[in-house]
Structures are given as C-alpha cells and as structure tokens.
Amino acid sequence: MPPTPRPLRKLGFLTIGLFDESDPGRGHESTLEIIELGERLGFDSAWLRHRHLQYGISSPVAIMAAASQRTSRIELGTAVIPLGWENPLRLAEDLATVDLLSGGRINPGVSVGPPMHYDQVKEALYPDTADVEDFSYERVRRLLDFVRGKPATDFSGVEGFEVFSDRVQPHSPGLGRRLWYGGGSLSSARWAGEHGMNFLTSSVVKAENPGETTDFAEIQLSHIRAFRAAHPDGEAARVSQGLVVIPTDSATPAQRAKYEEYAAKRTPRTTSPQGPARLLFAPDIVGTSAEIAERLHAHAAFREIDEVAFALPFTFEHEDYVQILTDMATELGPALGRRPSA
C-alpha cells in the first residue's frame, strides 16, 4: 500500500436518469440540468448509466449529444453501454459523431456479456440471429477497431456520384484513447489493459475464488494492479472508481435521515458474495465530507486511483442531487486533495 493516497485529479459523478413513465420528458430534462449544474460546480466529468426496458436512460449517446450542446467543458461518459444490445459499427458512427459535436469530450464506457433477461428479449432484439450472436470480448474489439479507424470493408472509392470510405465516418481523432471498459473481474481488467483501454471499476466486483478474500477493497485493488500491469502505459493507465458516496454537509435533517435509510437498506448485500456470480457490493458511504474522505483514504483501491465517478443514488429527488453534487464539489473534492477545475 502506498504511504499516501494519490491526490484526486478528476472529480466526476454518475447518474441513472430516472423518469416517470407518465412524464419522461421531465426526467430527461432533469438529467440535463444536473449535467449543466455539474459543469457550473467545476466537475470534470458526468457519466450516464444505461437501462433498457426500464425507466432510466436507454439512449445515453443521445443524452450526451444533447448535453454537449448545453455545456462547453465537462467531459461526458457512459458507465456503461452493454454491447450485447449494440451493433459495434453503428455505435462507432454514433460515438464519433457525438464526440465531434462535443469538441472531443466524450468518454464511452462499455461492457460485454449477454443482455439482461436475454431469454425474454432475444426474439425482439435478435429474432433471426439470437443463437449465434457473439457476446464475448470480440464485440469490444470490433468497436475499438472501428473507432480507431481500421477498415470496416475492402470497398472504397467513387460509385456514380457517391464517394465511399473503407472506414467508419466520421472519424474522431483521439476518441480511441478515450474508450473505457467497465469490469468487475480479474480477466476483464487484464483484457482492458492489454487492449489499451481505460478501466472503469465500480461498487461491484466478483469474489471469484471461494476460500480467498472477500474484502471488497482488496479485490478491487487486485483488478487495478492487474489492469496497469497489462497496459502499455503502466502506472499511468487511467482508472476511474465509482463508489456510492453521499455527503451530508449541507443536507437538511430530513435529507440525512433519507440517505441513511437508503444506505441501511442496501447494507445487507455487502456482507457476503451474492448469487452464482459471487458479486460483492461495496457499502454506500454516508456522512460529512470529512468523514467520507477519511474512509476513502483508508480504502486500499482508492489510494491508487486519481479519478472518480461517484454514483448518485437511484431514487432521490432533483433537489437531493443538487445538494449532494454541491457538497461533492465544494467540500468532498477539496478534502480528497482535488483542485477545482478552471
């Protein structure tokens, strides 16, 4: 363990963008207002979760496009786009387009694996190819190749009055270096490093080896070190941590009580690995910024990262997010050694 943690260099937040089915426009507007607030408060990045067939953001690329026109500095990311729902070539086109519109500010995070509830959705999603779709790392590799400008076809040139390219257009230089992999296993960490991606680690990891440690921070630390050991940039390779932290510095008594109740309801799942995949969840951290900073500085994995995308709780109200983000920017960030952005 290093004698002192790395000073926090980049402060970000993550939102799921919940909305009411009867008024989805208002929920999406709230998400955009939160991103605008994040920029005014000096956050370095805003990240969007991805939810299909639920009441959250189903099209984060569209939200990033809208947010890019209402902000000028804050980076915009996804944590994460599940590629099992996507065509890598089409996604590469959309990501490059939005990156150009934003002035090179997007940080797409992706993951692999079959779509959630695949047996129930495969007929709607892949009616003709459901049984032969490849949900392995190969899907990420294809996206990487397309975004980084490798040929997508052996045809190019002029046909009649039309001009064709052999690679995805538009091409956005630099986007290939801003692709992230969201992983919770040792193999994912190594794969992301070997392929020159950045690494998103969240509040969920896999306790893959029964009988070995179930300490969340130690497992997450092993992933970070494995990623950097495999990455060409070594110790300089980018890692972002996404724990749930809820500062209460300016919260009302009612807000504090709500936050503490929220965390208490989620605590039982953090005591042992959950389900066949042996998922291990980090406890939510609720308290003053000084209290949160003390706990993070003692967190083995946090000590070796200098970027965060703190996850906002799913079910709070807009005014709660305003209070939490304000405290994160004005109190927690400085307590973690981060200097505000210009």
Side-chain angles (χ1 to χ4, degrees), residues 101-133:
L101 290 172
S102 73
R105 287 188 284 136
I106 74 166
N107 286 265
V110 300
S111 66
V112 295
M116 186 180 295
H117 305 300
Y118 189 51
D119 286 343
Q120 287 74 44
V121 302
K122 63 183 182 181
E123 290 304 317
L125 187 59
Y126 299 115
D128 302 315
T129 61
D131 296 331
V132 296
E133 288 292 332

Side-chain angles (χ1 to χ4, degrees), residues 7-133:
L8 186 62
R9 185 173 56 86
K10 285 184 174 286
L11 177 65
F13 67 90
L14 168 65
T15 179
I16 194 173
L18 285 182
F19 59 83
D20 186 327
E21 184 181 16
S22 65
D23 188 13
R26 177 58 217 148
H28 285 75
E29 177 62 24
S30 174
T31 296
L32 292 171
E33 290 172 359
I34 287 295
I35 295 172
E36 290 180 286
L37 173 65
E39 176 160 280
R40 292 197 301 273
L41 289 170
F43 276 87
D44 297 290
S45 60
W47 299 75
L48 306 171
R49 276 198 193 276
H50 204 148
R51 288 293 185 266
H52 288 295
L53 302 179
Q54 293 179 261
Y55 305 108
I57 296 169
S58 62
S59 183
V61 178
I63 298 295
M64 288 195 297
S68 76
Q69 303 306 293
R70 295 168 62 154
T71 58
S72 61
R73 179 196 56 78
I74 195 169
E75 295 183 352
L76 305 167
T78 60
V80 290
I81 296 173
L83 287 186
W85 294 77
E86 305 288 341
N87 179 296
L89 191 151
R90 276 290 301 115
L91 181 60
E93 292 176 328
D94 286 347
L95 292 175
T97 300
V98 176
D99 195 50
L100 291 169
L101 290 172
S102 73
R105 287 188 284 136
I106 74 166
N107 286 265
V110 300
S111 66
V112 295
M116 186 180 295
H117 305 300
Y118 189 51
D119 286 343
Q120 287 74 44
V121 302
K122 63 183 182 181
E123 290 304 317
L125 187 59
Y126 299 115
D128 302 315
T129 61
D131 296 331
V132 296
E133 288 292 332

Side-chain angles (χ1 to χ4, degrees), residues 301-314:
F302 180 83
R303 296 172 71 89
E304 296 198 14
I305 57 95
D306 59 8
E307 301 186 41
V308 295
F310 290 134
L312 295 176
F314 291 169

Side-chain angles (χ1 to χ4, degrees), residues 25 49-50 123 130 151 155 176 245 274 291 293 319 336:
R49 276 198 193 276
H50 204 148
E123 290 304 317
F155 171 74
V245 303
Q274 304 291 301
E291 291 167 340
E319 57 268 24
L336 294 173

